[in-house]
Amino acid sequence: MAVEKDSRWERRTWPRLEHLAKEVPEAGIHFQKSRVLRRDKDIVDGHCKGPLSDGLSDPNPWYKTLMPDFRELSASELPAGYQSGCEFTSRATLKHISEAKKFSHTGKPADIIVNATGLLASKLGGVMDSKVRPARGQIVVVRNESGEPASQGTGTMMVITSGNDDGEEQLTYVMQRAVGGGTILGGTYQRDNWDANPDHNIAVGIMKRAVQVMPELTGGKGIKGLDIIRHGVGLKPYRDGGVTTEKEKIDGTWVVHNYGHSGWGYQGSYGCAEGVVELVDEIVGSKANKLELENASSPRMSTFFTSSSIQQTQVGANMADSTKKSQPIYVQAIGLALDIANGRHFLSKLIPPALLLVDTLLCALVIWKVPYTEIDWKAYMEQISQYVSGERDYTKIYGGTGPLVYPAFHVYIYTALYYLTDHGTDIFLAQQLFAVLYLTTLSVVMLCYWQAKVPPYVFLLLVLPKRLHSIFVLRCFNDCFAIGALLYTLGVGIKMTLLLALPAVGVVIFLGTASLGKSLELLVVMVAVQVLIGVPFLVGNTAGYLGRAFELSRQFFFKWTVNWRFVGEERFLSKEFALALLGLHILTLGIFITTRWLKPTRKSFISLVTPVFSGKAPFTRREEAEQVQRAVTPRYITTTILSANVLGLLFARSLHYQFYAYLAWSTPFLLWRSGVNPLVQYLLFFAQEWAWNVYPSTNTNSAVVVGVLAITVGLVWWGAREDSEPRDTPLVEKSEKAKR
């Protein structure tokens, strides 16, 4: 991006970046073909008129008592050829360039100061370069990608246009980030604009231009098809006349300046650094690459950088040259494993299918070696035999374990199984069918996790639950179909437990359509489906069907409960306890809805409800509605619905063992979304897994069941306090320090 006179900096930096892209994948740099699109109107007299034409090495340092996290590096941490080193976190704010002299490692004033202050060179005392101005750049980062993540090879095409019709300060470029990091859409180049907040109208223009030049991002759906991660604004250090790399004396001390790179400072970094070294060489009169700072005759150098974030600094090693090849093999292996586990490697995408294959073999082994356990299958078949014989009155359909208490779609599914398994006698075939159902459902769950950008280390927890395998292939419960139904309303038509997620489903539909009218239309469709599948039984005995299939006042048996056993049978069966749980459920739902689930609207609950009661649209502008719709991402949907599901399970008076089908695959996702340490995620998961495999239930395991549910709910709510999508938590923070 530099003009010809400054091209040497990028020419010299390219080999370094090429090395990182080839040899150091954890650097996050990758090769990408680029296409520059030049419009006729932007070319004048053969030139483009567009906006882009554009004390440290002391073995016993004085500052070791100043830095709270200062530490000496061990011998194993040092690259070959280095004697010692240290690391610490440092940040300093200076009002005048001369103040940097005191940061010399020797304790004496520095002989040379390197000034790389970027944009703030315009405000630093002693420099005050009036030619430095901000060039405001705004971008939109989206999850959409035009191809596979580019962790190896050249990846997908990067597109840049020479201009557009939205104004001289508007840019158009689309570039995919490495290892599945999404795509950056840009942008702007607004000189003298210090505003660090994203502008909604500018963002809309950026997205429109991006999908116009690269429609494959959304499959031709326009900006509605973009899945936004975040909006970003950066103030680039533009300088009239270009970058300055020069030396001067300020208050008697040599200063080497290097700033004003605008938007290409990173890709010109190595070359510019060499330019700085050449100027230092001129000052000291010797080859800079042979300078040894510990030599008393060498200059003492201070470097001053300004940054909006604390920088981690390691001294005594050239980090750019400390590649994986210089590290011990075990460090390389750990780094590779962490990259794969956290989704930063091209092998990461093989984890889900590999786990699915392992679980397929495990299901076959369970069916082959573990005896089938009869609980409800025989009762289901007895009930179905009465249905196929013509009985349509729900109050008269009974099996060995009691009356038929599930909605009509359950009847239809088990009728099909009734005929497929020779009237329910071919148990082996039934187990195989449920194994296929289990693996299909697991595939759908994994796909949901993948769409929500869950790292591979969480996927392992999906195949570990012992009780879940039992529910599917050893007991053939109808819960398996309820959670595996492709349409939510059909799932409700199998088992009313799925009504626990209804509040979240309603919120998702409302935000996804950004229209009360459309939301009500979908609700009518859902109710109509329930009516249609229940017609044969509604005609026979309407009250009997509704009372049995959707019985809300059912009295549960204490002996079968897995969760609230520790409160005692008398309290468990009391009406007061049931009402208390109902009240807590409603209260907690209200808290989640108002403080978390409605966050994408950026409106209060009152401001959303008031227009509805007045017969007005809750969103006043089309752009506002589109912004809300874009916030309803796969991750948001999964988090919201699973949160509602776990909330309902927490306050359910009685959970039976088969209810683990609604929990086992929810917990890993929610714990990950809460942002807690992965070790805590695994600890809570295995505590839950232990509790649900204790039979018969005890006070201890029931307390653990409720405790883990409560902790999960609390963590999810707390983790989402800053935005509608809590922070991601890597298995281990990827850094040189963490790898060591």
Side-chain angles (χ1 to χ4, degrees):
M1 293 172 62
V3 296
E4 176 62 29
K5 70 183 182 68
D6 291 328
S7 65
R8 61 172 291 198
W9 311 129
E10 291 189 83
R11 293 176 190 269
R12 296 293 292 158
T13 303
W14 168 259
R16 297 285 191 170
L17 299 184
E18 180 183 28
H19 164 74
L20 292 175
K22 287 181 177 179
E23 305 294 339
V24 192
E26 63 266 28
I29 301 173
H30 66 104
F31 291 108
Q32 185 175 64
K33 286 187 180 296
S34 300
R35 177 179 295 150
V36 179
L37 307 177
R38 303 185 181 91
R39 304 188 308 168
D40 289 339
K41 64 175 67 177
D42 296 323
I43 307 301
V44 179
D45 298 329
H47 297 283
C48 179
K49 67 173 185 178
L52 288 183
S53 41
D54 316 59
L56 296 181
S57 298
D58 187 2
N60 187 29
W62 64 269
Y63 52 81
K64 66 181 181 181
T65 57
L66 181 66
M67 309 301 178
D69 60 346
F70 176 91
R71 75 178 185 91
E72 288 288 333
L73 302 180
S74 64
S76 64
E77 298 177 70
L78 298 171
Y82 289 86
Q83 184 184 69
S84 65
C86 63
E87 73 173 24
F88 52 89
T89 302
S90 65
R91 184 180 181 180
T93 301
L94 299 105
K95 295 181 179 180
H96 196 280
I97 186 67
S98 61
E99 295 178 29
K101 291 188 293 186
K102 65 182 180 181
F103 287 95
S104 168
H105 66 287
T106 65
K108 300 177 181 179
D111 296 319
I112 299 175
I113 298 170
V114 176
N115 171 30
T117 53
L119 180 59
L120 293 186
S122 61
K123 298 186 177 183
L124 178 63
V127 181
M128 303 295 287
D129 192 336
S130 60
K131 294 182 178 181
V132 177
R133 299 183 284 155
R136 182 182 181 276
Q138 181 169 332
I139 62 164
V140 181
V141 185
V142 299
R143 293 185 176 87
N144 307 65
E145 295 178 345
S146 57
E148 288 296 317
S151 58
Q152 300 289 321
T154 59
T156 56
M157 187 68 67
M158 172 181 173
V159 176
I160 314 103
T161 68
S162 60
N164 56 74
D165 294 329
D166 290 345
E168 292 185 356
E169 293 185 332
Q170 306 297 313
L171 308 177
T172 303
Y173 55 87
V174 180
M175 52 185 173
Q176 188 168 317
R177 304 176 75 191
V179 293
T183 303
I184 296 175
L185 314 180
T188 62
Y189 201 80
Q190 301 169 298
R191 294 188 179 96
D192 296 314
N193 189 333
W194 288 87
D195 187 3
N197 298 308
D199 183 291
H200 173 71
N201 293 327
I202 290 177
V204 171
I206 289 172
M207 292 186 287
K208 287 181 177 178
R209 296 195 301 270
V211 297
Q212 182 180 27
V213 299
M214 189 176 281
E216 58 267 32
L217 273 175
T218 62
K221 296 179 181 178
I223 65 173
K224 289 185 178 180
L226 291 173
D227 184 0
I228 298 175
I229 298 176
R230 63 180 174 86
H231 297 269
V233 172
L235 304 180
K236 305 172 184 178
Y238 170 80
R239 183 177 184 274
D240 294 331
V243 65
T244 177
T245 303
E246 59 185 12
K247 60 184 179 181
E248 69 167 321
K249 272 194 173 183
I250 300 178
D251 291 346
T253 302
W254 278 107
V255 177
V256 176
H257 299 291
N258 183 238
Y259 57 82
H261 300 80
S262 190
W264 57 272
Y266 182 73
Q267 66 197 64
S269 55
Y270 283 96
C272 288
E274 288 185 353
V276 169
V277 171
E278 290 171 4
L279 292 177
V280 172
D281 175 51
E282 292 178 11
I283 294 172
V284 300
S286 63
K287 293 293 184 181
N289 61 353
K290 293 182 179 179
L291 270 176
E292 298 189 12
L293 296 180
E294 66 273 19
N295 191 308
S297 63
S298 298
R300 297 174 294 275
M301 301 177 64
S302 290
T303 305
F304 175 41
F305 299 91
T306 60
S307 173
S308 60
S309 61
I310 297 177
Q311 301 177 7
Q312 184 72 20
T313 306
Q314 178 169 334
V315 184
N318 186 335
M319 296 303 297
D321 290 333
S322 180
T323 65
K324 295 194 322 184
K325 292 183 178 179
S326 66
Q327 299 170 342
I329 188 66
Y330 76 91
V331 174
Q332 298 181 40
I334 293 174
L336 176 61
L338 292 177
D339 283 340
I340 296 174
N342 286 290
R344 294 189 292 253
H345 196 276
F346 75 95
L347 289 177
S348 300
K349 61 185 178 182
L350 299 180
I351 298 297
L355 290 173
L356 189 63
L357 176 60
V358 171
D359 212 353
T360 301
L361 299 175
L362 179 60
C363 286
L365 187 63
V366 169
I367 294 174
W368 179 32
K369 290 291 187 181
V370 182
Y372 164 74
T373 306
E374 168 57 43
I375 292 184
D376 279 346
W377 174 262
K378 185 177 179 180
Y380 292 162
M381 293 299 105
E382 290 171 348
Q383 294 164 352
I384 297 303
S385 68
Q386 298 169 48
Y387 165 73
V388 299
S389 297
E391 183 59 69
R392 296 296 183 268
D393 187 343
Y394 249 55
T395 62
K396 297 179 181 180
I397 301 178
Y398 278 81
T401 58
L404 176 58
V405 293
Y406 305 120
F409 204 61
H410 155 86
V411 175
Y412 304 147
I413 288 177
Y414 276 83
T415 298
L417 292 172
Y418 177 82
Y419 287 113
L420 286 172
T421 60
D422 191 18
H423 298 184
T425 60
D426 192 344
I427 300 298
F428 181 63
L429 176 58
Q431 288 185 278
Q432 295 178 68
L433 292 174
F434 271 81
V436 172
L437 173 64
Y438 168 80
L439 295 170
T440 302
T441 309
L442 177 60
S443 300
V444 173
V445 172
M446 285 185 169
L447 181 61
C448 292
Y449 272 50
W450 193 261
Q451 290 290 321
K453 310 296 183 183
V454 178
Y457 78 82
V458 181
F459 281 69
L460 176 62
L461 301 180
L462 298 180
V463 302
L464 292 180
K466 175 184 175 183
R467 177 67 64 184
L468 202 56
H469 290 84
S470 173
I471 291 170
F472 275 85
V473 298
L474 292 182
R475 290 168 172 82
C476 304
F477 280 121
N478 64 348
D479 305 80
C480 308
F481 286 99
I483 66 171
L486 297 178
L487 299 176
Y488 171 76
T489 186
L490 291 180
V492 174
I494 296 171
K495 199 158 187 175
M496 61 177 290
T497 307
L498 267 70
L499 289 174
L500 294 176
L502 184 59
V505 172
V507 171
V508 168
I509 291 175
F510 174 61
L511 298 189
T513 60
S515 166
L516 180 62
K518 292 181 180 179
S519 301
L520 292 176
E521 289 176 8
L522 288 174
L523 179 61
V524 170
V525 170
M526 293 170 63
V527 173
V529 169
Q530 292 300 318
V531 173
L532 287 174
I533 63 178
V535 163
F537 308 101
L538 290 169
V539 172
N541 184 344
T542 301
Y545 173 70
L546 296 177
R548 285 287 172 83
F550 299 98
E551 184 180 0
L552 298 176
S553 59
R554 186 181 307 165
Q555 181 69 36
F556 296 97
F557 291 111
F558 179 73
K559 66 179 181 179
W560 296 118
T561 190
V562 181
N563 52 343
W564 292 106
R565 176 176 297 276
F566 63 91
V567 302
E569 185 170 4
E570 182 179 355
R571 181 172 297 172
F572 175 84
L573 295 175
S574 69
K575 184 177 180 180
E576 293 76 14
F577 182 62
L579 291 176
L581 290 177
L582 177 61
L584 288 171
H585 188 191
I586 294 173
L587 175 63
T588 312
L589 270 177
I591 293 173
F592 267 80
I593 291 173
T594 56
T595 66
R596 295 298 181 262
W597 298 347
L598 292 179
K599 268 198 168 185
T601 67
R602 298 183 181 179
K603 292 175 177 286
S604 68
F605 180 74
I606 298 299
S607 63
L608 283 171
V609 172
T610 302
V612 172
F613 283 110
S614 304
K616 299 179 181 178
F619 305 107
T620 57
R621 297 178 303 167
R622 180 179 177 183
E623 294 84 359
E624 189 178 58
E626 290 178 349
Q627 182 178 5
V628 172
Q629 289 175 305
R630 288 194 297 270
V632 184
T633 63
R635 186 176 295 185
Y636 169 82
I637 293 172
T638 308
T639 304
T640 303
I641 292 180
L642 294 187
S643 296
N645 176 57
V646 172
L647 266 175
L649 294 175
L650 171 61
F651 296 112
R653 182 158 51 144
S654 182
L655 297 179
H656 298 174
Y657 284 101
Q658 64 266 33
F659 279 53
Y660 197 41
Y662 306 98
L663 180 62
W665 287 329
S666 300
T667 303
F669 180 89
L670 293 176
L671 290 177
W672 168 71
R673 292 304 292 126
S674 73
V676 297
N677 186 285
L679 294 178
V680 178
Q681 296 174 35
Y682 270 68
L683 177 63
L684 289 171
F685 174 84
F686 282 113
Q688 172 181 278
E689 177 70 7
W690 168 82
W692 280 86
N693 280 282
V694 174
Y695 180 82
S697 180
T698 65
N699 288 345
T700 301
N701 85 292
S702 67
V704 172
V705 166
V706 175
V708 173
L709 281 169
I711 291 172
T712 302
V713 168
L715 287 175
V716 170
W717 184 85
W718 179 255
R721 66 191 183 280
E722 295 179 356
D723 50 36
S724 60
E725 293 189 357
R727 296 188 303 274
D728 297 346
T729 305
L731 181 59
V732 174
E733 190 65 40
K734 189 68 172 68
S735 65
E736 291 297 317
K737 183 175 180 179
K739 286 194 295 182
R740 289 194 297 270

